[in-house]
């Protein structure tokens, strides 16, 4: 099954298949499943149309997804009002919804490239090391440094 | 799961950023005098913008002009401490 152009294998659990997206790991994938109400052992082929639509809608713009109502737990000292009166709604600020702040695929790659370009532009050590195709965080370079030689570029793509 | 440590730079939020209070900041900005410093770990604050620093790299002082984009970085990031290896042919064998 394809969602937003990414091939998700049909026989995999949804929480594993979602990690095929660049920028979604195991934890984010589990939270994402909980958010769109897909159960833990559900596989990709068992998803119905509305669930696929919900996933696609969320992933296409996480920031614009509808906010989740906060479920406030009562304190141990809470005494419910008598039935004749209306139940007062507690006033709490909704917690920061980190799942709406995720970036995936091209958005995330663009953000990474912008961060490297920023470092390069201001001429910091990190930017220089990226431009020299060398490790950034003090790793040894006497031998190998293979990952850095492969990946570290100013215009980095993965 | 959420990268709070990256946002805070691994430092407790209640401490705020580490910086050195340069006493001659205003004077340096007005007269365009370079501030000579060894405080490489000093965070660049918004009121450092436009000031010229001479940052120690372990051997000598490297000129660094602070711009808007550098705010939040450290002074030491802009004064490299390592020399590129160059092969020099020996004269006497």
């Amino acid at each position: 099954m394809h969602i937003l152009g990414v091939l998700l294998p049909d026989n995999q659990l949804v929480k594993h298949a979602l990690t095929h997206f660049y920028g979604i790991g195991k934890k984010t994938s589990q939270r994402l499943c909980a958010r769109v109400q897909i159960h833990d052992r559900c596989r990709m082929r068992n998803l119905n149309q509305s669930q696929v639509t919900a996933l696609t809608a969320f992933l296409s713009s996480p920031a614009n997804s509808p906010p989740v109502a906060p479920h406030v737990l009562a304190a141990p000292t809470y005494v419910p009002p008598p039935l004749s009166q209306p139940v007062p709604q507690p006033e709490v600020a909704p917690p920061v919804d980190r799942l709406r702040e995720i970036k995936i695929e091209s958005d995330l790659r663009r953000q990474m490239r912008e961060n490297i370009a920023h470092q390069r532009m201001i001429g910091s050590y990190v930017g220089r090391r990226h431009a020299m195709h060398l490790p950034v965080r003090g790793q040894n370079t006497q031998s190998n440094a293979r990952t850095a030689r492969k990946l570290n570029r100013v215009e980095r793509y993965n | 799961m959420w990268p709070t440590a990256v946002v805070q730079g691994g430092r407790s939020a209640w401490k705020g950023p580490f910086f050195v209070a340069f006493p001659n900041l205003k004077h340096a900005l007005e007269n365009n005098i370079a501030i000579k410093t060894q405080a490489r770990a000093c965070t660049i604050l918004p009121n450092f913008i436009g000031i010229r620093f001479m940052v120690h790299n372990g051997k000598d002082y490297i000129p660094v002009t602070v711009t808007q984009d550098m705010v939040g970085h450290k002074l030491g990031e802009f004064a490299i401490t390592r020399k590129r290896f160059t092969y020099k042919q020996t004269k006497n064998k």
Side-chain angles (χ1 to χ4, degrees), chain A residues 5 18 31 52 66 74 90 99 106 109 141:
Chain A
L18 285 177
R31 291 191 183 215
V52 174
L99 201 56
S106 59
R109 290 181 207 272
T141 55

Side-chain angles (χ1 to χ4, degrees), chain B residues 7-67:
Chain B
V7 176
Q8 293 166 359
R11 190 176 159 88
S12 297
W14 61 267
K15 290 183 194 171
F18 172 78
F19 64 95
V20 177
F22 293 105
N24 47 357
L25 211 59
K26 198 171 181 182
H27 182 250
L29 188 60
E30 284 168 357
N31 303 329
N32 200 21
I33 300 170
I35 297 177
K36 210 171 178 184
T37 178
Q38 295 192 1
R40 296 171 53 85
C42 171
T43 311
I44 295 177
L45 300 178
N47 59 351
F48 289 5
I49 294 171
I51 293 178
R52 292 192 302 135
F53 282 94
M54 300 291 277
V55 183
H56 196 53
N57 73 349
K59 188 181 178 191
D60 37 33
Y61 292 85
I62 309 291
V64 174
T65 307
V66 176
T67 60

Side-chain angles (χ1 to χ4, degrees), chain A:
Chain A
M1 183 188 293
H2 286 82
I3 290 182
L4 300 177
V6 176
L7 175 64
L8 307 178
D10 275 341
N11 58 346
Q12 284 192 1
L13 295 175
V14 176
K15 64 177 178 181
H16 296 160
L18 285 177
T19 59
H20 282 71
F21 280 99
Y22 182 81
I24 293 184
K26 286 180 184 173
K27 291 286 182 183
T28 315
S29 150
Q30 284 174 13
R31 291 191 183 215
L32 196 55
C33 285
R35 179 63 55 89
V36 295
Q37 300 184 349
I38 295 169
H39 67 83
D40 198 35
R41 311 304 301 170
C42 185
R43 290 180 190 270
M44 285 307 290
R45 59 168 175 265
N46 300 334
L47 287 180
N48 62 28
Q49 196 56 49
S50 64
Q51 285 170 321
V52 174
T53 314
L55 264 181
T56 314
F58 189 93
L59 289 175
S60 59
S61 59
N64 298 331
S65 60
V68 182
H71 295 287
V72 184
L73 296 179
T77 55
Y78 177 72
V79 180
L83 285 177
S84 56
Q85 292 175 10
V87 179
Q89 292 299 319
E91 289 181 9
V92 287
V96 180
D97 191 354
R98 292 291 174 75
L99 201 56
R100 294 177 72 190
E101 296 171 2
I102 62 168
K103 285 191 171 184
I104 57 167
E105 291 290 327
S106 59
D107 284 346
L108 188 56
R109 290 181 207 272
R110 191 183 320 122
Q111 185 190 34
M112 178 180 63
R113 277 205 295 279
E114 281 169 2
N115 290 346
I116 296 172
H118 167 79
Q119 297 274 6
R120 186 71 197 109
M121 190 194 65
I122 63 177
S124 72
Y125 183 70
V126 176
R128 282 165 195 255
R129 297 294 281 187
H130 270 109
M132 290 154 71
H133 311 171
L134 285 171
V136 171
R137 298 180 182 178
Q139 297 98 319
N140 283 359
T141 55
Q142 182 170 7
S143 64
N144 300 332
R146 242 166 231 288
T147 312
R149 276 193 292 167
K150 188 170 64 180
L151 297 179
N152 284 6
R153 300 281 187 275
V154 173
E155 276 290 309
R156 182 172 168 164
Y157 287 99
N158 48 358

Side-chain angles (χ1 to χ4, degrees), chain A residues 28 31 98 121-122 125, chain B residues 1-2 69 73 77-78 80:
Chain A
T28 315
R31 291 191 183 215
R98 292 291 174 75
M121 190 194 65
I122 63 177
Y125 183 70
Chain B
M1 177 180 178
W2 310 113
D69 295 321
H73 291 260
E77 287 182 49
F78 304 99
I80 54 168

